Amino acid sequence: MASASSAGGADSHYRALERLYRSAPINRLFPSRLQIAGEGQAEIRFAVTPESYHAAGAAHGTIYFKMLDDAAFYAANTLVTDRFLLTTAFTLLFTKPVTEGEVRAEGRWVSGRRRVLIAEARLIDAAGEEIGRGTGTFMRSRIPLSSLAGYDAAGSDE
């Protein structure tokens, strides 16, 4: 497995992953921002608005899953610099409904470094309370990160 050999290489990989996240068309439907602070860590911030509600007036589980999966996925992909990961399983627990405000998805790598990686994520509401959590299993794909239009390790953030 390829890995970043220096702090600068790791930082370039993290910024490229952030650009890859921004380039994903799905994020036009779910406006959000990914920030990677270090190896095995990812944070996504997004706002819950009435557009994401189910019929009973709170955020639909779709947004919980998407943000938990993405935070865990990107936490795991910080450890893999050559291949795109694929989610192969994800277990989700809803702990509290949310109706409005900024939510933070905190992802962290748990184990695995070769073919399969495990990562988890938590959703934290504006009051600092957990509203959901999940654990994912991610597998190295055959897709080189360098082949993806949004991933550019030498790119700029303009």
Side-chain angles (χ1 to χ4, degrees):
M1 171 177 74
S3 65
S5 59
S6 68
D11 191 64
S12 293
H13 175 56
Y14 304 158
R15 302 300 75 84
L17 288 173
E18 290 168 351
R19 285 189 292 277
L20 182 63
Y21 182 82
R22 284 194 304 270
S23 75
I26 188 71
N27 290 323
R28 286 182 233 137
L29 297 174
F30 298 95
S32 52
R33 182 169 187 267
L34 168 68
Q35 185 171 19
I36 297 173
E39 183 177 82
Q41 303 172 44
E43 181 180 274
I44 297 172
R45 291 183 180 264
F46 63 100
V48 171
T49 64
E51 289 77 26
S52 63
Y53 286 2
H54 54 57
H60 189 278
T62 302
I63 199 163
Y64 282 68
F65 170 72
K66 193 250 190 257
M67 297 307 177
L68 287 166
D69 177 54
D70 284 354
F73 167 90
Y74 279 95
N77 222 149
T78 64
L79 284 85
V80 179
T81 60
D82 61 340
R83 299 287 171 178
F84 185 76
L85 297 179
L86 300 172
T87 303
T88 59
F90 202 89
T91 303
L92 177 64
L93 175 66
F94 300 99
T95 53
K96 179 182 171 193
V98 63
T99 57
E100 65 181 356
E102 184 173 270
V103 176
R104 191 172 72 246
E106 300 173 340
R108 76 174 191 89
W109 167 78
V110 174
S111 68
R113 288 185 175 262
R114 292 186 170 229
R115 186 165 162 77
V116 176
L117 295 92
I118 297 171
E120 61 187 17
R122 302 179 327 137
L123 289 179
I124 309 297
D125 69 11
E129 294 187 39
E130 181 179 290
I131 62 172
R133 64 174 48 229
T135 303
T137 303
F138 306 92
M139 183 176 74
R140 292 169 54 87
S141 75
R142 295 182 185 204
I143 304 166
L145 282 169
S146 61
S147 74
L148 301 173
Y151 183 90
D152 178 6
S156 70
D157 289 317
E158 296 177 12

